């Protein structure tokens, strides 16, 4: 009798530990629950997926593709790490802290469809030699990160000049982005519709 009670308690504890882990794996690694397509999900072009689409996590607006990622290192980063972010591609993620003590993990992009709010500010920059401006989602106006331009540029520039220059980049906050393949796996049928 004590054996059965102990076994039930053990099963209950394992259920409490294992279910969050399984949910985590399915949420952050959606290909883990595609048994028929597991091999097809691996990109064929050398382990990178340049066609992966990144969305605004708040509204789903398409912001960038994997090919737009362009690593810009900063000596002011609190830390830097490589992570699998887009279709198996290793992406460098940097951690920064603003003067208010808020920390942000960012990925740098060559371009993205965001709205920049000029004038640019030269103070408290994370990338020496660059001034920054806030970048928001063009649809829902959520703060997505920052756009960086050389400090010797005028404080206000045209969007065309910003996009055409090789000296500009964006730093977008990782937790405000969502991969399109992950977004499509988050859709669920409400329990009330299930028979």
């Amino acid at each position: 009798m004590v054996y059965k009670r102990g076994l039930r308690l053990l099963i209950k504890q394992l259920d409490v530990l294992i279910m969050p882990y399984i949910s985590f794996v399915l949420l952050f690694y959606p290909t883990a629950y595609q048994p028929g397509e597991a091999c097809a999900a691996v990109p064929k072009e050398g382990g990178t997926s340049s066609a992966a689409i990144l969305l605004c996590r708040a509204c789903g607006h398409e912001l960038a593709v994997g090919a737009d990622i362009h690593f810009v290192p900063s000596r002011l980063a609190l830390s830097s790490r490589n992570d699998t972010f887009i279709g198996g591609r290793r992406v460098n993620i940097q951690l920064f802290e603003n003067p208010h003590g808020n920390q942000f993990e960012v990925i740098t992009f060559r371009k993205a469809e965001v709205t920049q709010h000029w004038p640019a500010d030269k103070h408290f920059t994370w990338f020496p030699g660059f001034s920054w401006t806030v970048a928001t989602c063009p649809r829902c106006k959520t703060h997505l990160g920052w756009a960086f331009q050389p400090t010797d540029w005028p404080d206000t520039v045209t969007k065309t000049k910003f996009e055409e220059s090789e000296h500009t980049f964006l730093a977008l906050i990782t937790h405000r982005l969502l991969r399109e393949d992950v977004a499509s796996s988050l859709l669920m049928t409400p329990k009330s519709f299930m028979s």
Side-chain angles (χ1 to χ4, degrees):
M1 178 113 117
V2 175
Y3 174 74
K4 286 183 181 181
R5 191 176 308 157
L7 185 59
R8 281 189 209 135
L9 181 62
L10 178 63
I11 290 171
K12 211 178 251 188
Q13 289 174 343
L14 284 175
D15 189 39
V16 169
L17 293 173
I18 291 175
M19 290 311 291
Y21 175 75
I22 292 172
S23 299
F24 172 81
V25 168
L26 292 177
L27 181 62
F28 291 104
Y29 302 100
T31 55
Y33 188 66
Q34 297 174 354
E37 301 174 12
C39 295
V42 177
K44 293 179 179 152
E45 48 199 57
T48 63
S49 177
S50 59
I53 297 174
L54 291 169
L55 310 172
C56 170
R57 186 177 289 271
C59 71
H61 182 73
E62 290 184 11
L63 300 171
V65 294
D68 295 332
I69 294 175
H70 173 71
F71 177 57
V72 179
S74 173
R75 59 183 164 80
L76 299 178
L78 299 176
S79 66
S80 181
R81 65 182 168 86
N82 282 322
D83 202 350
T84 305
F85 190 70
I86 301 191
R89 179 178 176 185
R90 303 291 290 171
V91 175
N92 195 292
I93 298 174
Q94 298 177 85
L95 176 68
F96 294 100
E97 184 174 271
N98 70 10
H100 300 288
N102 300 317
Q103 293 187 349
F104 301 94
E105 282 192 325
V106 301
I107 298 174
T108 51
F109 289 80
R110 170 67 194 94
K111 64 181 181 175
E113 185 170 336
V114 297
T115 302
Q116 290 115 342
H117 300 273
W118 283 286
D121 191 346
K122 295 172 176 67
H123 300 78
F124 305 112
T125 184
W126 293 331
F127 295 90
F130 291 90
S131 53
W132 59 272
T133 185
V134 172
T136 60
C137 175
R139 183 188 295 164
C140 69
K141 311 300 182 226
T142 296
H143 175 229
L144 296 173
W146 301 267
F148 290 87
Q149 65 189 44
T151 50
D152 58 352
W153 280 21
D155 290 344
T156 305
V157 296
T158 63
K159 184 172 178 136
T160 305
K161 181 177 179 180
F162 184 90
E163 290 174 349
E164 290 177 354
S165 174
E166 294 180 8
H167 306 291
T168 59
F169 62 94
L170 298 115
L172 301 183
I173 304 166
T174 57
H175 76 271
R176 305 235 171 117
L177 305 175
L178 184 64
R179 291 189 343 239
E180 184 182 44
D181 62 334
V182 173
S184 63
S185 72
L186 295 177
L187 299 177
M188 297 174 49
T189 305
K191 290 181 181 178
S192 61
F193 294 155
M194 300 170 111
S195 54

